[in-house]
Amino acid sequence: MTQVHKPVLLKESIDYLITKKSGVYFEGTLGFGGHTQEILNRININGSVISTDVDLNAFNHCKDKFKDEHRVRLYNFNFSLIDVIAKIESIEFFDGILADLGVSSFQLDNAAAGFSYKVDTELDLRLNKSLRKTAADFINQESEEKIAQVIYEFGEEKNSRKIARRIIASRKAKNFETTDDLRKVISEITNPRYLTKTLSRVFQALRIYVNDELGQLKTFLENSVSVLKSGGRLVVISYHSLEDRIVKEFFKYENLSCVCPPGSPICICGKVKRLNIITKKPIVPTESEIENNKRAHSAKMRVAERI
Ligand SMILES: C[S@@+](CC[C@H](N)C(=O)[O-])C[C@H]1O[C@@H](n2cnc3c(N)ncnc32)[C@H](O)[C@@H]1O
């Protein structure tokens, strides 16, 4: 792997995460190991970090990178399985949990990883290659309505219907196989001025759908709270509004101690407040970080603390 991924909000995220130098930490999005390495730099000899990534390339890369580091244990699991990983490791509670969502620069920029519309490669977009359906399967098999809905909902692309219509017309002649097949069809109906934005929205939508990224994020957040020690921090860095909204709403809900209808004489909901919100507004990268790492421009970090 020649392409380097620069970790985003590295100092800020680990400053919030580490509350105990001998703690046990969970990193759900290992990638190139940037955040995992920084956790190791800040904990002491008795601390440890358990990190996972669904992408086998990332997992294998880090297995080698951390081969001499006894304080790390690595998994090739979805982060939504944090509770299962805790059981395997016989850990009741983590001292802190981190997720740096989305995909790494390597996944985006390298043809072999199959995530970019910029290079012609198989139209796959699965982070976990054992998932049943690729992006090509989805657009070759689904209805026009479903394709338009996914592009609209997960890509926030207003021309979703037009794009879906064109995909259906095109696949009658030949199935979609490569990223170029899809790029060509979209270029035919998009003003060149908006092409890059449209392509990234469509590819983002397909990636989110194929990997059920939003569903896995919701499960991860829910499961994290039950394995986070009182006083421990849950730190989440997101890169688009759909992810950030889920994190924000989840923190808001877990911050409430009652969800009874307004005006109820007594509380009957049984709701328990489980999180305190630490960052009232999301933390964003400094201008100089964005200058040095363009991937950082859309990052938003939210932090909550387990009660
Ligand atoms: C932005 S990168 C993380 C980069 C990492 N923090 C670093 O500094 O090198 C996100 C990583 O999370 C992984 N990922 C995305 N969704 C995941 C999920 N549901 N479970 C586990 N890993 C996931 C991706 O494969 C990718 O390697």
Side-chain angles (χ1 to χ4, degrees):
M1 288 189 187
T2 48
Q3 198 85 22
V4 178
H5 173 86
K6 286 189 195 160
V8 173
L9 287 166
L10 185 62
K11 179 179 183 306
E12 296 87 338
S13 58
I14 309 303
D15 280 352
Y16 276 109
L17 183 72
I18 306 285
T19 51
K20 186 179 166 193
K21 282 189 176 295
S22 59
V24 183
Y25 293 90
F26 182 87
E27 213 282 70
T29 47
L30 179 61
F32 269 71
H35 286 87
T36 293
Q37 180 61 64
E38 187 60 16
I39 296 172
L40 288 167
N41 295 346
R42 307 267 202 109
I43 57 177
N44 65 24
I45 190 86
N46 298 314
S48 59
V49 53
I50 294 168
S51 302
T52 189
D53 202 299
V54 271
D55 183 328
L56 189 60
N57 284 327
F59 171 76
N60 283 334
H61 172 83
C62 287
K63 243 176 98 171
D64 187 49
K65 176 178 172 129
F66 295 118
K67 63 180 185 302
D68 298 324
E69 178 50 84
H70 71 279
R71 298 173 298 166
V72 171
R73 280 184 298 284
L74 301 180
Y75 284 80
N76 180 211
F77 285 18
N78 198 298
F79 58 40
S80 59
L81 295 170
I82 181 171
D83 53 336
V84 175
I85 296 175
K87 279 216 175 78
I88 296 172
E89 291 287 334
S90 304
I91 289 166
E92 196 179 358
F93 297 113
F94 292 105
D95 289 280
I97 296 171
L98 171 74
D100 173 27
L101 303 173
V103 283
S104 66
S105 305
F106 174 80
Q107 288 162 322
L108 283 173
D109 295 339
N110 289 267
F115 284 93
S116 178
Y117 59 85
K118 292 178 189 150
V119 273
D120 189 21
T121 178
E122 254 177 77
L123 184 56
D124 186 329
L125 301 182
R126 291 169 304 167
L127 289 165
N128 170 359
K129 300 297 181 210
S130 62
L131 288 176
R132 223 163 32 88
K133 267 196 177 181
T134 64
D137 294 332
F138 172 70
I139 61 169
N140 286 327
Q141 293 163 11
E142 282 296 345
S143 66
E144 185 177 326
E145 291 69 31
K146 179 72 184 176
I147 294 171
Q149 180 222 328
V150 165
I151 295 175
Y152 183 71
E153 212 173 293
F154 299 146
E156 300 181 293
E157 169 55 50
K158 62 180 186 330
N159 285 325
S160 56
R161 284 177 190 282
K162 193 170 156 191
I163 294 169
R165 208 174 309 131
R166 192 53 174 250
I167 286 173
I168 300 293
S170 173
R171 83 183 186 195
K172 280 184 185 145
K174 180 187 165 292
N175 265 350
F176 286 83
E177 284 170 13
T178 64
T179 49
D180 244 15
D181 291 343
L182 183 58
R183 193 181 52 74
K184 276 184 197 139
V185 164
I186 295 172
S187 344
E188 282 161 15
I189 51 168
T190 308
N191 181 329
R193 274 172 59 202
Y194 308 120
L195 184 59
T196 306
K197 279 241 159 76
T198 305
L199 285 169
S200 54
R201 287 196 200 106
V202 173
F203 275 73
Q204 171 189 292
L206 295 177
R207 201 197 75 218
I208 291 177
Y209 177 79
V210 164
N211 296 292
D212 181 29
E213 289 183 21
L214 304 183
Q216 298 301 326
L217 173 59
K218 286 177 190 163
T219 309
F220 164 71
L221 293 170
E222 188 58 48
N223 288 340
S224 289
V225 179
S226 52
V227 293
L228 183 58
K229 198 174 278 176
S230 173
R233 304 267 176 84
L234 174 55
V235 179
V236 186
I237 304 170
S238 60
Y239 294 87
H240 57 77
S241 56
L242 300 167
E243 287 171 343
D244 183 55
R245 201 174 308 143
I246 288 172
V247 179
K248 181 178 164 186
E249 292 304 318
F250 180 79
F251 282 8
K252 238 165 96 180
Y253 180 78
E254 292 298 342
N255 190 239
L256 297 172
S257 46
C258 172
V259 289
C260 287
S264 295
I266 53 161
C267 173
I268 50 157
C269 67
K271 171 90 177 56
V272 176
K273 174 173 167 164
R274 300 197 295 172
L275 292 178
N276 272 326
I277 297 172
I278 303 288
T279 49
K280 302 289 174 220
K281 283 198 172 150
I283 310 281
V284 294
T286 59
E287 272 178 29
S288 93
E289 177 169 2
I290 295 169
E291 246 168 57
N292 287 313
N293 181 10
K294 66 175 174 24
R295 296 238 192 275
H297 82 277
S298 59
K300 283 186 177 168
M301 180 176 80
R302 295 185 187 269
V303 183
E305 188 173 279
R306 182 75 165 99
I307 288 171

